[in-house]
Amino acid sequence: FRLRQGGGADKGLSRRLTDGGPYNARWFGATADGTDDQPAIQRALDSAPAGGSVFIPPGTYVIGDTIEIPSGTTLRGGGFGTLLKRKAETTLTGYEVEEIKFGTHQIHPLLTTRQGAGGTEEVVIRDLHIQENTSSTSGPRTEAGIWVNDAINTKLLDCKVEDVRDDLAQSAIDDFYRAFCVCITNSTRTTIQGGIYNTAGYEVIGVRGGSRRTRIQGIVSTNVGN
């Protein structure tokens, strides 16, 4: 990157010019020091230009709320050394999904394609390690490492997702599928390629709600119980 001096209202400030390269989440305040890095990563994604990318360097980033990835954006880490870990004892944003239950239920993803009218297109998530947190206590809820919803042409490449869970009453379990490493709903042309998906007794990859043309290739699943 290069630095240039700002002008006008920004006079005296420096701006980063990436010359088309990825934005770095650390430029926006991500620290990997145990504080909540979700706001900084979200700022980076919201600031990236259409067709741009955001890079999260290796480190452990605590995530206290859902990260939404806008259309045309790539979110990538530095391999499994870039860990996004759900903050303990927190309530992530819940999204209503009809397809997971016979009725309305909320799913609490750590990463998701941006929600709202029109959905998203051309999102890439790659080279990240995503870890849920068994110390999370706000429920009842269904967790997902990554939720692809109302999206077209989404690619999940060489990611690791593990330790998804829920904290539902036993009586509710039969009503819907429980926790997911990856949940895909109302989406077309989703590719999951490479990576490790690990969950004990829950859903590794759930494809629901009219999703079409989902391609899964070359993944390693260490699921126990499903």
Side-chain angles (χ1 to χ4, degrees):
F1 64 88
R2 294 182 289 117
L3 293 177
R4 73 176 179 187
Q5 197 73 10
D10 296 327
K11 188 175 181 180
L13 301 177
S14 293
R15 295 179 177 178
R16 291 179 192 267
L17 299 181
T18 64
D19 291 326
Y23 283 28
N24 190 312
R26 289 185 178 265
W27 300 348
F28 295 82
T31 59
D33 66 357
T35 57
D36 185 0
D37 283 315
Q38 184 272 345
I41 295 171
Q42 191 65 64
R43 282 195 297 271
L45 288 165
D46 292 342
S47 299
S53 63
V54 171
F55 174 63
I56 307 177
T60 298
Y61 300 83
V62 173
I63 305 300
D65 202 352
T66 298
I67 296 170
E68 291 189 348
I69 306 172
S71 286
T73 305
T74 295
L75 178 64
R76 67 179 180 90
F80 293 168
T82 299
L83 172 61
L84 305 183
K85 183 177 178 64
R86 185 188 293 269
K87 183 179 178 181
E89 299 183 2
T90 191
T91 302
L92 294 190
T93 300
Y95 299 94
E96 291 186 355
V97 235
E98 295 287 348
E99 297 79 12
I100 294 182
K101 186 182 178 182
F102 301 108
T104 298
H105 182 66
Q106 286 197 331
I107 187 168
H108 297 252
L110 196 145
L111 287 179
T112 187
T113 51
R114 171 145 285 163
Q115 305 304 301
T120 55
E121 299 184 16
E122 307 293 343
V123 164
V124 179
I125 302 169
R126 64 175 308 152
D127 304 314
L128 288 169
H129 182 182
I130 296 166
Q131 187 178 71
E132 298 291 352
N133 195 323
T134 54
S135 297
S136 297
T137 58
S138 59
R141 68 173 180 216
T142 294
E143 287 186 355
I146 303 171
W147 183 34
V148 178
N149 181 61
D150 198 17
I152 301 172
N153 290 336
T154 305
K155 294 181 180 179
L156 314 180
L157 307 176
D158 298 315
C159 290
K160 181 177 182 179
V161 182
E162 61 182 351
D163 294 343
V164 293
R165 64 184 291 274
D166 62 42
D167 43 17
L168 303 166
Q170 185 68 34
S171 61
I173 290 174
D174 292 336
D175 288 341
F176 57 91
Y177 299 91
R178 299 184 68 182
F180 303 85
C181 288
V182 178
C183 185
I184 304 167
T185 54
N186 294 321
S187 296
T188 303
R189 294 193 296 275
T190 303
T191 298
I192 306 173
Q193 184 172 317
I196 301 171
Y197 298 87
N198 173 25
T199 178
Y202 302 118
E203 294 274 317
V204 175
I205 298 170
V207 182
R208 305 284 185 265
S211 294
R212 298 179 295 126
R213 298 174 66 181
T214 299
R215 180 186 181 193
I216 302 171
Q217 182 177 15
I219 73 167
V220 175
S221 169
T222 54
N223 175 282
V224 177
N226 269 323

